[in-house]
Amino acid sequence: ILRTRAARYASPELAHEARDDARRELSRLSRRLQAARKFNANEGDEWNRSLASLIENTVRGMWTPEARLLYDLQKVCVDHERGIYTLDVAGWALSLGRKSLKRFLPGQRDVLMSKHLRGAARRVPSARLSQRARSRLAALLQSAVHRAEGNLRARFKPAIERALDKVKLLPQNLPERVARRKLIEEILDRIVERGYLTMSDLRDALSRNNLKLPDLASVGQFFSGDQLLQADRQLAESLDGVYHRGEIYLRLPQRLSSLAFGTPLGRVLTRYVALPFGGAYIALKGLQHLINDGSQWTTGHSYDVNLSGWPSILLVGAFLLGLLHNQQFRGLCVDVLVRAGRVCRRVFVDLPQWLLKIPLVESIVKSWQFKLFTRFVFKPLVVSVAAGGLIAIVSDAELTFFGALATFLVINLLVNSPLGRNVDEMVTDWTVQTWHRLRIHVFAALFRFVMDVFNRILEMIERFLYTVDEWLRFRAGERRSATIAKAVLGSVWYFVNYFIRFCVTLLIEPQVNPIKHFPVVTVSHKVIIPFTPALTRALTPALGHAWALTVAPTTILLIPGVFGFLVWELKENWRLYAANRPPNLQPAQLGNHGETMVQFLRIGFRSGTVPKLYAKLRRANRKALYTDNWKAVSKHLDGLHHVSDAVRNFVDRELLELLHESRSWADRSITTGEIYLACNRILVELYCPDLAEDSLWLAFEEQSGWLVASIHRRGWADALSFQRRHTLASALAGFYKMAGATLVREQIAVRLEPGSRGYQITDESLLVWSSDNRFERAYPLRDWPSVARAGTASVTLEPQPAPDRAQWVFAATPITWRRWVVTWELDQLDGFSKHDVLENVSVLPG
């Protein structure tokens, strides 16, 4: 780059020589990349041409994208050529010399090479290149990234497998064998994505996986740690420099929670004492705090309501106990809520609709006089009242009669002008769409949004801390002064790093996060605030009165964050153990932010990844046609590519791995082909050349907020024997459950009468139409009664008999984990034994 810059200002002879030197340096960089990535001579020529197309634009600015890309490639070469070490002075001192002072980190080379290659690939859309040169460079970098990630997985996968074997985290059946492979791949995904792994990543991967921890075997295991803590130690040794061992404030809650969650007595106390009655105390305390402080803020008077007495706690705790452990009581509560909802609907919806259908009222509403009244009086009057109130608040003056009349006339003109009518239509359309979106899991979406934001903030802090760790590592060949400086700074950074992690994770984030703060942290504040004067008096002799007044309130303010942290940690720890496994198969998380298959497709506050990406892509394409800046287009295409990879991984790890392990399938020729994404549909190709050239295609569609699964094209399924067809049907049934499918088209098709019109999927129900075009039956898609609209008529859906509804609605028939295991254990026996997963469901007719 310096030689190219010099050539712009040198004489012609010197400029020619400088450019030749620059080309030789680029050729040298290409050879170094060839040694690092092991590509052939033809690829080397492609790299030479691609790097040469970059060099001229590197000097057209201070720190251009082309220059950054070349520096990233140079870092790849440096990572390969120079070993990476760490000088762990603090660890060596704290271990009393048992740990080595200077340690070689062999895994860091592959991690950093993959990281810098991905960084170079991200800069390609910003590079000022022709479309052909950009495409060629992007293809080369994508190939290099895939090879680097493959090397990374090949290097670390055996180490992870050995660590899990040593701690006896072993599968007991075929579904758990599939789950263990998926667990290892998800751990590798995390390493590839971020370049490092933490104990929290390992814990979260285990908690959402079907491979669970067994109960504590003995008292000795409690002191030595359960399988998670043992794996934490093993991975810290085998993945040195890549795996960050859990801090004491993470390991201690895990050790203590193993008594509460990993033993029969602990689970009884947790489920029947701590959760109902402890939850009642926290909920009542939080409600009390909300009422007292809310009344103080709104009215200026505090009512001092006391809701946390023992009678209230026992009463609410008994209510929560019934909700948690008695299905009939839960059904009764749901029935009460449903009936209350029906009453509200009849009063506020059905009654007005009935009144509007009275002939006299209907004629008045449809008359031209009423329409004129609505257009020129009612609408402007509503807007005028709101505007008048706003003007009075802003100007702090009363609105006179003539002022109100003038406001009404002006707003009347504005509302009934062409612009006003257009704005009215836009506002109405936006209100309807917003209300429709708010109906779709708004509270769950808000919950996910808040937690996702704070998880991203914590991840950014974690990345920053790990980046500083990388800076303080040294490479072979560095000067002695740099080594000494990094050793000194690394010793200081060890304690600074720990202090930052502790403060952010335990003290600050739970205080700022509104979901964690209320009610757990709020109640903790209420409990310990009275101790502030006593703590101030205790600290005064040592710190002085001024410092004591500062330290004591700060401590009281921050300590409750620890309780919020513990509650959320324990929530995840509960799902680690096999005894706490959900009884039925649950939808799996596919995306990086916890999206399920339906959340990829369904538009919502924090869902609808695919349609939102396509909308952004269309806007970016239109903008790029005028600006010739295609960076945003590449970004959104990469987002769609990540979704496609997530779906591919889901199919490979949950469906194909199960078929490959099946004794009746007996070969591994089936693979995932193309993944096609649309705004409301995902198509997955399953390719099996040993059976037929025509592939089997699976379809997942979003309709009215529900996920509908089907076989889009049968392909090689028609060539299957009865035994293989049955195995595929069983695998698809469980796979649809893990995808979160509500309906399966094949299941509906076999239930329809011959010659019938078909069916319709609405927001609340599945409507079946008879052969004479009449509405026949409505099957609710939720577990409670609702009102569905069939044409112009409203049909109240009463609860259908379970067998009848289960024949139509796939979600109405759960697949228990025990039945899922028995299904595939029978498959492993000699000979063929019929083992229906769902007796009344057909996901593969014929």
Side-chain angles (χ1 to χ4, degrees):
I1 293 173
L2 294 177
R3 295 178 189 277
T4 304
R5 190 181 299 275
R8 300 181 66 186
Y9 305 102
S11 61
E13 296 81 4
L14 294 177
H16 182 73
E17 183 179 351
R19 288 192 175 90
D20 287 341
D21 290 340
R23 294 191 194 97
R24 283 193 290 270
E25 289 291 338
L26 284 177
S27 298
R28 181 169 173 267
L29 176 61
S30 177
R31 290 193 298 272
R32 293 169 67 191
L33 283 171
Q34 185 173 4
R37 302 312 316 142
K38 304 293 190 297
F39 50 76
N40 55 41
N42 292 333
E43 286 182 288
D45 295 336
E46 290 290 330
W47 275 104
N48 276 328
R49 286 194 291 272
S50 297
L51 296 181
S53 64
L54 283 171
I55 193 63
E56 288 299 330
N57 289 325
T58 57
V59 296
R60 296 179 181 176
M62 290 296 296
W63 186 231
T64 62
E66 296 83 6
R68 295 182 183 185
L69 197 156
L70 287 174
Y71 272 112
D72 282 333
L73 295 177
Q74 180 175 273
K75 289 177 183 177
V76 174
C77 301
V78 173
D79 294 333
H80 174 261
E81 295 162 356
R82 301 166 66 181
I84 302 172
Y85 298 83
T86 181
L87 287 177
D88 190 5
V89 178
W92 173 78
L94 293 176
S95 66
L96 302 179
R98 289 191 298 271
K99 287 186 176 180
S100 301
L101 178 62
K102 176 183 177 181
R103 298 199 315 274
F104 177 58
L105 304 176
Q108 275 293 295
R109 185 179 73 169
D110 290 329
V111 168
L112 292 178
M113 289 171 66
S114 175
K115 175 183 175 181
H116 293 140
L117 281 171
R118 289 200 310 275
R122 285 195 297 268
R123 302 190 195 281
V124 172
S126 303
R128 290 163 293 184
L129 297 170
S130 65
Q131 190 60 36
R132 181 178 180 183
R134 180 182 286 108
S135 300
R136 182 175 63 237
L137 181 59
L140 290 173
L141 281 170
Q142 287 299 326
S143 175
V145 168
H146 290 158
R147 290 180 186 176
E149 292 180 358
N151 293 339
L152 208 61
R153 292 177 180 275
R155 182 183 187 89
F156 292 135
K157 186 175 181 178
I160 297 173
E161 290 177 341
R162 287 193 299 269
L164 297 181
D165 290 340
K166 285 183 180 179
V167 303
K168 301 296 190 293
L169 192 57
L170 304 173
Q172 304 299 321
N173 47 62
L174 190 149
E176 287 191 355
R177 290 202 297 274
V178 173
R180 174 172 152 134
R181 292 192 178 94
K182 182 185 176 186
L183 171 67
I184 294 172
E185 292 299 328
E186 287 181 349
I187 292 173
L188 292 170
D189 289 343
R190 200 67 172 169
I191 296 175
V192 168
E193 177 189 357
R194 298 195 307 176
Y196 62 92
L197 188 71
T198 65
M199 178 182 167
S200 297
D201 298 328
L202 179 62
R203 189 272 314 275
D204 293 344
L206 271 169
S207 66
R208 64 174 176 261
N209 209 280
N210 283 326
L211 180 64
K212 302 293 185 182
L213 305 182
D215 282 359
L216 290 180
S218 62
V219 177
Q221 189 178 15
F222 167 74
F223 290 104
S224 63
D226 58 13
Q227 279 85 353
L228 175 59
L229 293 175
Q230 295 175 28
D232 181 55
R233 289 194 295 268
Q234 292 291 333
L235 291 174
E237 295 178 3
S238 58
L239 302 182
D240 190 13
V242 176
Y243 184 85
H244 184 83
R245 190 182 179 191
E247 292 82 359
I248 184 64
Y249 55 81
L250 292 175
R251 300 199 305 269
L252 183 60
Q254 174 60 34
R255 190 183 300 274
L256 295 177
S257 67
S258 64
L259 284 178
F261 306 154
T263 60
L265 178 60
R267 283 192 292 271
V268 169
L269 294 177
T270 300
R271 298 177 63 188
Y272 294 97
V273 179
L275 285 179
F277 297 101
Y281 173 76
I282 292 175
L284 289 172
K285 268 289 188 181
L287 183 61
Q288 175 183 320
H289 168 76
L290 191 64
I291 292 174
N292 292 338
D293 288 0
S295 62
Q296 180 70 32
W297 293 337
T298 55
T299 65
H301 301 285
S302 178
Y303 296 107
D304 196 20
V305 176
N306 184 15
L307 299 176
S308 56
W310 282 110
S312 302
I313 293 174
L314 291 175
L315 182 63
V316 176
F319 176 77
L320 293 178
L321 189 66
L323 282 181
L324 288 171
H325 304 292
N326 191 294
Q327 187 174 1
Q328 292 182 347
F329 184 72
R330 282 199 302 271
L332 178 63
C333 293
V334 170
D335 188 57
V336 170
L337 291 175
V338 168
R339 292 180 185 275
R342 281 186 190 172
V343 171
C344 293
R345 182 178 183 90
R346 285 171 181 171
V347 171
F348 297 106
V349 178
D350 295 341
L351 180 60
Q353 287 180 350
W354 177 78
L355 290 174
L356 290 174
K357 290 179 181 178
I358 296 176
L360 178 60
V361 176
E362 190 174 5
S363 63
I364 293 174
V365 170
K366 291 183 178 179
S367 65
W368 63 269
Q369 295 92 341
F370 184 82
K371 292 180 179 179
L372 286 178
F373 171 79
T374 302
R375 180 174 177 181
F376 291 101
V377 179
F378 181 72
K379 280 186 178 182
L381 184 62
V382 172
V383 179
S384 299
V385 170
L390 182 62
I391 292 172
I393 293 174
V394 173
S395 62
D396 198 18
E398 293 185 1
L399 197 64
T400 63
F401 171 77
F402 292 103
L405 182 60
T407 303
F408 173 77
L409 293 175
V410 171
I411 289 178
N412 203 329
L413 289 174
L414 291 175
V415 168
N416 291 289
S417 65
L419 177 62
R421 288 196 294 270
N422 290 336
V423 171
D424 183 26
E425 291 181 4
M426 291 173 59
V427 170
T428 303
D429 183 61
W430 177 85
T431 303
V432 171
Q433 290 186 8
T434 302
W435 171 245
H436 177 70
R437 293 181 181 181
L438 288 176
R439 290 175 58 202
I440 304 174
H441 306 299
V442 61
F443 295 111
L446 284 172
F447 174 87
R448 288 195 303 271
F449 171 72
V450 173
M451 295 304 297
D452 189 40
V453 167
F454 282 93
N455 287 337
R456 287 191 180 188
I457 293 173
L458 290 177
E459 184 173 338
M460 289 173 60
I461 295 173
E462 186 80 27
R463 286 177 181 270
F464 167 74
L465 297 177
Y466 193 79
T467 301
V468 177
D469 285 340
E470 286 184 355
W471 290 344
L472 294 177
R473 290 168 184 157
F474 72 97
R475 291 177 170 83
E478 286 187 340
R479 292 177 296 179
R480 183 181 298 272
S481 58
T483 302
I484 296 174
K486 288 184 178 181
V488 174
L489 292 175
S491 303
V492 177
W493 176 249
Y494 176 85
F495 298 99
V496 174
N497 185 6
Y498 197 95
F499 179 76
I500 293 175
R501 291 177 188 272
F502 177 83
C503 291
V504 171
T505 307
L506 268 76
L507 304 179
I508 299 175
E509 192 266 342
Q511 299 281 351
V512 180
N513 190 330
I515 293 178
K516 292 184 179 180
H517 186 87
F518 183 82
V520 177
V521 177
T522 300
V523 173
S524 304
H525 274 137
K526 288 290 186 181
V527 171
I528 69 173
I529 276 177
F531 295 97
T532 305
L535 182 60
T536 304
R537 288 193 298 270
L539 294 176
T540 299
L543 302 178
H545 186 67
W547 276 104
L549 284 176
T550 303
V551 173
T554 303
T555 304
I556 295 297
L557 175 67
L558 294 178
I559 282 179
V562 177
F563 296 97
F565 164 79
L566 288 175
V567 167
W568 289 92
E569 285 293 302
L570 296 178
K571 177 182 70 70
E572 292 297 322
N573 291 354
W574 172 264
R575 299 192 298 168
L576 285 172
Y577 296 92
N580 305 326
R581 186 199 309 273
N584 303 321
L585 293 184
Q586 301 293 317
Q589 296 181 5
L590 279 67
N592 293 333
H593 304 295
E595 302 99 331
T596 58
M597 182 72 80
V598 68
Q599 289 169 353
F600 272 149
L601 296 173
R602 182 180 61 199
I603 288 288
F605 184 67
R606 287 295 292 171
S607 59
T609 306
V610 175
K612 288 179 180 178
L613 280 173
Y614 272 117
K616 293 177 182 177
L617 181 61
R618 288 191 292 269
R619 289 195 296 267
N621 262 317
R622 289 194 295 267
K623 186 176 179 180
L625 289 175
Y626 295 100
T627 63
D628 200 30
N629 184 356
W630 298 90
K631 183 177 180 180
V633 174
S634 299
K635 176 185 175 182
H636 301 318
L637 287 175
D638 286 342
L640 291 170
H641 179 70
H642 289 322
V643 173
S644 177
D645 284 345
V647 174
R648 182 184 302 277
N649 291 336
F650 176 57
V651 176
D652 288 344
R653 297 169 186 176
E654 293 289 6
L655 177 62
L656 300 192
E657 193 66 41
L658 196 65
L659 291 175
H660 295 162
E661 286 291 322
S662 170
R663 189 185 185 103
S664 59
W665 199 262
D667 63 58
R668 292 174 172 266
S669 60
I670 181 171
T671 57
T672 305
E674 297 291 335
I675 306 288
Y676 291 152
L677 303 179
C679 288
N680 68 334
R681 173 190 277 190
I682 296 177
L683 292 179
V684 180
E685 179 190 21
L686 300 181
Y687 181 60
C688 190
D690 291 351
L691 294 174
E693 288 298 324
D694 194 11
S695 299
L696 183 146
W697 288 81
L698 301 178
F700 296 94
E701 302 167 89
E702 183 272 331
Q703 288 197 357
S704 300
W706 307 104
L707 186 66
V708 184
S710 63
I711 296 178
H712 181 67
R713 187 184 301 168
R714 296 175 63 88
W716 47 258
D718 293 328
L720 293 176
S721 63
F722 176 77
Q723 182 176 352
R724 283 194 170 189
R725 185 186 299 272
H726 193 279
T727 301
L728 179 62
S730 300
L732 283 177
F735 180 67
Y736 288 163
K737 284 293 179 183
M738 296 178 194
T742 306
L743 298 168
V744 176
R745 294 196 185 278
E746 286 75 20
Q747 178 186 358
I748 300 173
V750 298
R751 306 298 177 190
L752 291 175
E753 295 180 0
S756 62
R757 177 186 170 189
Y759 57 92
Q760 178 183 354
I761 302 169
T762 68
D763 291 347
E764 301 289 343
S765 58
L766 171 69
L767 307 179
V768 180
W769 304 87
S770 62
S771 55
D772 54 356
N773 261 7
R774 291 188 304 172
F775 174 73
E776 183 181 66
R777 198 76 181 274
Y779 296 90
L781 300 180
R782 305 186 190 276
D783 294 332
W784 52 83
S786 57
V787 173
R789 299 189 179 278
T792 58
S794 293
V795 182
T796 302
L797 306 181
E798 298 295 337
Q800 303 292 337
D804 190 20
R805 179 169 176 262
Q807 290 180 359
W808 294 86
V809 181
F810 181 72
T813 304
I815 301 180
T816 64
W817 172 255
R818 180 176 297 179
R819 193 171 187 180
W820 183 244
V821 170
V822 170
T823 296
W824 295 102
E825 287 301 290
L826 289 174
D827 178 81
Q828 299 299 293
L829 299 178
D830 291 332
F832 178 70
S833 175
K834 185 176 180 180
H835 46 282
D836 286 325
V837 175
L838 298 175
E839 296 175 353
N840 300 319
V841 173
S842 176
V843 297
L844 188 65

